[in-house]
Amino acid sequence: MRKILFPFDGSESAVRALKYVIELHQAYGGLEVLAVNVQEDPPIYGEYVTAETIEVLREASRESAKRVLETAAEQLKAAGVPYTTFIAHGDVAHNLVALVEERGCKAIIMGTRGLGAFSSLLLGSTTQKVIHLSKVPVTLVK
Ligand SMILES: Nc1ncnc2c1ncn2[C@@H]1O[C@H](COP(=O)(O)OP(=O)(O)OP(=O)(O)O)[C@@H](O)[C@H]1O
Ligand SMILES: [Mg+2]
């Protein structure tokens, strides 16, 4: 099994990347997909925010990550692609490249763009950082 890291944020580009992952598996087989959603920590205003508030925010972000990953999981399952899902918190690109190392992923397949507002840019900042930091091949899907 060739383990692939698949960063998924639910964006149109990531959905097209999902379709490509499924097509690859159907054409060649042997893929194992680690679908990951990273929740960036919201800006916290120092001592004004209590520990309970932080926990409420974390819980909300876990819920939203779960919902996003569920849509990818449904499609992977329906297509018979072996997969696991994972939720991380913090800087997106750094979490992704750390996971590649930890989980022994052989490649990354991701979208060129995400949910960010500047759609005129060719590549989003997460993708740019991942290309810069990754030691394994990165496939980008437009
Ligand atoms: N929070 C995230 N969790 C998992 N994968 C992500 C996340 N954000 C982005 N990605 C992955 O990175 C790809 C490109 O998204 P990126 O964030 O680089 O673009 P953007 O949102 O358009 O730009 P920016 O974030 O710089 O405003 C997505 O298609 C997805 O595969
Ligand atoms: Mg983004």
Side-chain angles (χ1 to χ4, degrees):
M1 284 287 178
R2 192 173 169 78
K3 206 185 271 183
I4 301 293
L5 186 90
F6 174 59
F8 189 69
D9 62 353
S11 62
E12 285 177 20
S13 181
V15 168
R16 286 192 287 273
L18 175 62
K19 197 165 163 256
Y20 178 69
V21 167
I22 290 170
E23 281 168 10
L24 267 189
H25 183 77
Q26 288 170 343
Y28 306 107
L31 292 191
E32 186 187 335
V33 174
L34 176 59
V36 181
N37 182 262
V38 186
Q39 293 287 310
E40 282 170 286
D41 282 323
I44 301 285
Y45 301 106
E47 293 127 52
Y48 301 111
V49 177
T50 63
E52 293 94 274
T53 309
I54 292 172
E55 197 32 56
V56 169
L57 292 172
R58 276 265 162 100
E59 186 51 37
S61 78
R62 269 194 292 275
E63 281 306 315
S64 102
K66 259 193 221 163
R67 277 196 299 276
V68 170
L69 286 174
E70 194 52 44
T71 65
E74 272 170 22
Q75 291 193 49
L76 290 165
K77 197 172 179 181
V81 183
Y83 73 91
T84 47
T85 60
F86 188 78
I87 297 169
H89 295 269
D91 180 77
V92 183
H94 281 95
N95 267 287
L96 295 175
V97 292
L99 273 169
V100 165
E101 291 271 318
E102 278 167 38
R103 305 293 187 95
C105 298
K106 297 286 183 273
I108 302 173
I109 299 178
M110 65 194 297
T112 52
R113 301 297 325 279
L115 297 170
F118 300 102
S119 55
S120 59
L121 291 178
L122 177 62
L123 295 179
S125 61
T126 309
T127 296
Q128 291 187 44
K129 269 204 229 171
V130 168
I131 296 170
H132 185 68
L133 296 170
S134 179
K135 291 181 182 151
V136 299
V138 183
T139 300
L140 302 181
V141 180
K142 275 175 96 174

